[in-house]
Amino acid sequence: MAVKYYFIAAALMLTTSLKAQNPIICDRYTADPAPYVHGDTLYLFVDHDDDVTENGYFTMRDWLLYSTVDMVNWTYLGTPITPKLFTWAKQDNDCWASQCVERNGRWYWYVTATIKGQAYPGIGVAVANSPAGPYRDPIKKPLVQGWFKIDPTVYIDDNGQAYLFYGNNNLWYVKLNRGMTSFTGSEVSVNIKSEEAFGPYKGYEDNGNPKPNFEEASWLYKMNGKYYLEYAAGGVPEHWAYSTADKITGPWTYQGKVMGEAKNSFTIHGGSVDYKGHSYMFYHNGALPGGGGFKRSTCVEEFTRNEDGSIPFIQFTTKGVNPIQTLNPYELQQAETINQSSGIKCEGDYNGCYVTSIHASDYIKVRNVDFGAIGAETFSARIAAAGRGTMIVRTGSKTGSIVARVQIQSTGGLDVWEDISVNTTRTVKGIQDLYFTFTGSTTGASILNFDTWQFSELGSSVEFVGNDKTTNKDRIYNLYGQKLQKIDDAPQKSIIITPQGKVFKK
Ligand code: FUB
């Protein structure tokens, strides 16, 4: 944008430790996280800071989607929208803050973009039948447009009336129609100059006019009959604050600071959400290696609301949040379901995503994988490769003990997919963090593209195990119920587990 809303923050080089869970998305810079809970899944709609910053300013070319069911492993669901969808928008940049909500089975993704041929922004809406798309632009124009009209937040009230709030150094709202792609009446301006509503002034202009505390990034929701408006406050660097109201139209009452200034980023844009009995606060900082004010990264902290519903001050951590469920390695898992990673990139869209740009010394960590009491027997993966290398699956760390080793050979190209399967090199049991590590080329084309993986459980090929009721002794039966007197009688390639837990492998 021609007008810059911010002073430029200096970028610091930081590194993340393997133990750190924040930032939660590691394969690219992400900003302005907008979480949305639907069924069992938490979707995370984010903006995307480019790896290469142009003109020392935000360089943002698309919007991305991730999801989780356990709060520690995040699945890349593609890049559902680029400015190409919006004929009215500048095409190669300025994909700013957004929020997506579901209504009656349709997903409405409100985004900030620059109006084509102008320097000022507008807020458009993309609509799809599923969160990952495909999206379309039903109205082919921005819903609202004008200086400072950025950062949409949407809330559908209990009576079905939906509201769209937005604004930088201003706060406006419109009442959306049921179709969610138009509004009735005129835009209302909220008085952000009220200190009772939005907190103490952050200072005064040279001409003596006060500078309101409210900055941007409003995040609206209702809880126990009260409306909450979280927002970035205090100028730049921003902190996170909130106000509450008994009516969505106000008056708002300032409630205080929720988070301090984000590390290495002069913006903080986020939002809180309740999920599976926990409360989480999302935000961004500049903590990924090479990160900064224009290369931000999404983080999340857990917090507990006070009994009166107020939000406590939340400390930033690198530890992040705890897993709320385990991941089942005996079900097909997407390679792009990742806890932490280095070097790799995720690609794809609603037709399917995969991990690419894999080189020697890159890794993918998947956290809290439950192998159970019996353990794994085989490891299989769907891969495509143009050359040679190795995928080595380990537990505990990048150099931890090896569970499976897959020799990679060309499948005919990086788009020719093949299913491979190997026996595990040892029995892995219990809850483990898995690390996918690689050998092969350190530069150039990806060693492989990696789509899915799965383990089979030791004994899943057992014919039948039983206990001889007459003698109360372990006996082994085959699939057809025939009693086998000796292990030798079991068919080849059987895994035999007695009721006492003894394991025999043929
Ligand atoms: O991501 C671009 C802008 O930075 C957003 O619109 C603001 O909220 C700030 O995070």
Side-chain angles (χ1 to χ4, degrees):
M1 296 220 161
V3 169
K4 299 187 179 178
Y5 300 111
Y6 310 101
F7 298 104
I8 295 169
L12 296 170
M13 286 286 283
L14 292 181
T15 52
T16 49
S17 101
L18 287 181
K19 290 250 185 287
Q21 303 299 304
N22 274 327
I24 56 174
I25 310 292
C26 303
D27 76 310
R28 58 189 93 198
Y29 299 113
T30 57
D32 308 326
Y36 189 79
V37 174
H38 192 254
D40 186 46
T41 304
L42 190 156
Y43 292 97
L44 188 63
F45 297 83
V46 289
D47 306 339
H48 176 198
D49 287 339
D50 208 279
D51 287 357
V52 181
T53 301
E54 282 177 5
N55 306 319
Y57 198 52
F58 295 115
T59 308
M60 305 170 75
R61 304 188 195 282
D62 45 30
W63 292 271
L64 314 175
L65 176 60
Y66 293 82
S67 73
T68 188
V69 290
D70 59 18
M71 287 305 294
V72 292
N73 297 302
W74 291 89
T75 304
Y76 173 71
L77 293 176
T79 303
I81 322 184
T82 72
K84 282 196 187 78
L85 188 70
F86 304 111
T87 48
W88 51 267
K90 179 174 159 184
Q91 287 301 293
D92 58 341
N93 205 338
D94 299 349
C95 301
W96 281 26
S98 71
Q99 188 184 350
C100 187
V101 297
E102 184 266 354
R103 184 172 204 174
N104 298 329
R106 288 247 160 82
W107 294 75
Y108 299 90
W109 197 340
Y110 299 84
V111 303
T112 311
T114 298
I115 307 294
K116 196 183 259 176
Q118 305 293 342
Y120 56 81
I123 293 172
V125 56
V127 183
N129 294 333
S130 87
Y135 281 87
R136 60 197 171 84
D137 175 6
I139 58 172
K140 308 223 170 337
K141 60 179 184 182
L143 262 170
V144 294
Q145 57 180 296
W147 289 109
F148 308 108
K149 296 190 176 171
I150 66 170
D151 291 4
T153 183
V154 179
Y155 180 69
I156 306 169
D157 212 343
D158 303 337
N159 62 4
Q161 177 62 59
Y163 290 81
L164 173 72
F165 278 60
Y166 49 93
N168 164 288
N169 278 286
N170 288 273
L171 181 61
W172 295 278
Y173 69 82
V174 291
K175 288 167 92 167
L176 292 172
N177 291 328
R178 277 198 101 77
M180 302 293 279
T181 58
S182 61
F183 61 90
T184 303
S186 41
E187 180 182 72
V188 179
S189 173
V190 180
N191 178 20
I192 59 163
K193 290 188 182 139
S194 159
E195 290 191 285
E196 290 74 35
F198 293 104
Y201 295 144
K202 65 192 180 202
Y204 290 85
E205 309 280 5
D206 291 344
N207 60 11
N209 285 341
K211 293 185 193 166
N213 187 42
F214 178 91
E215 184 72 19
E216 59 180 359
S218 50
W219 180 256
L220 179 64
Y221 59 96
K222 189 180 190 178
M223 194 165 276
N224 297 327
K226 196 174 270 195
Y227 296 91
Y228 288 74
L229 191 72
E230 299 173 10
Y231 48 88
V236 286
E238 299 171 343
H239 61 260
W240 198 240
Y242 81 111
S243 302
T244 58
D246 292 332
K247 289 200 280 179
I248 198 164
T249 50
W252 294 95
T253 305
Y254 179 66
Q255 299 294 343
K257 237 183 192 186
V258 175
M259 286 188 296
E261 293 159 10
K263 204 168 193 174
N264 204 23
S265 167
F266 60 97
T267 61
I268 190 168
H269 195 137
S272 67
V273 75
D274 279 15
Y275 178 55
K276 293 186 178 171
H278 302 253
S279 295
Y280 296 103
M281 182 66 77
F282 288 82
Y283 62 98
H284 66 228
N285 63 17
L288 270 190
F294 302 116
K295 292 186 183 179
R296 298 160 293 176
S297 33
T298 297
C299 300
V300 61
E301 310 291 351
E302 183 169 356
F303 69 99
T304 307
R305 278 178 194 273
N306 299 319
E307 281 202 351
D308 61 0
S310 57
I311 307 175
F313 187 79
I314 300 165
Q315 300 290 347
F316 298 126
T317 70
T318 50
K319 181 178 163 286
V321 304
N322 291 324
I324 53 175
Q325 70 184 54
T326 53
L327 183 142
N328 185 348
Y330 306 121
E331 286 174 357
L332 191 72
Q333 298 296 337
Q334 301 299 320
E336 65 275 10
T337 297
I338 294 173
N339 170 251
Q340 295 279 301
S341 66
S342 172
I344 61 97
K345 292 274 182 211
C346 299
E347 284 195 356
D349 60 18
Y350 56 89
N351 287 313
C353 297
Y354 57 92
V355 177
T356 187
S357 190
I358 300 172
H359 298 101
S361 82
D362 292 347
Y363 77 92
I364 297 167
K365 176 183 175 187
V366 183
R367 196 170 161 200
N368 215 38
V369 181
D370 190 357
F371 285 92
I374 293 168
E377 181 189 11
T378 64
F379 168 77
S380 34
R382 184 159 179 78
I383 61 157
R388 299 168 82 87
T390 325
M391 179 197 287
I392 304 167
V393 190
R394 302 168 187 267
T395 51
S397 78
K398 278 201 303 180
T399 51
S401 67
I402 296 174
V403 181
R405 186 191 294 270
V406 180
Q407 295 302 332
I408 310 286
Q409 294 185 339
S410 174
T411 58
L414 282 167
D415 55 354
V416 182
W417 294 97
E418 252 180 36
D419 294 313
I420 50 95
S421 189
V422 294
N423 283 326
T424 52
T425 50
R426 68 184 170 90
T427 307
V428 54
K429 296 181 185 177
I431 296 178
Q432 306 283 345
D433 290 344
L434 273 190
Y435 287 76
F436 295 86
T437 61
F438 306 91
T439 68
S441 166
T442 51
T443 54
S446 190
I447 296 168
L448 73 156
N449 287 342
F450 182 19
D451 186 16
T452 59
W453 60 269
Q454 184 169 15
F455 284 84
S456 75
E457 193 169 18
L458 192 65
S460 53
S461 57
V462 70
E463 296 293 303
F464 187 80
V465 174
N467 180 275
D468 187 325
K469 295 265 180 322
T470 330
T471 61
N472 199 26
K473 285 197 177 137
D474 296 340
R475 284 289 180 264
I476 299 149
Y477 297 79
N478 70 12
L479 197 57
Y480 306 103
Q482 295 159 328
K483 191 159 42 170
L484 306 172
Q485 297 300 335
K486 294 185 285 185
I487 300 293
D488 285 351
D489 295 339
Q492 283 300 316
K493 292 201 166 171
S494 288
I495 302 295
I496 299 146
I497 305 161
T498 71
Q500 275 69 32
K502 270 190 178 173
V503 177
F504 301 93
K505 199 170 175 183
K506 281 195 77 181

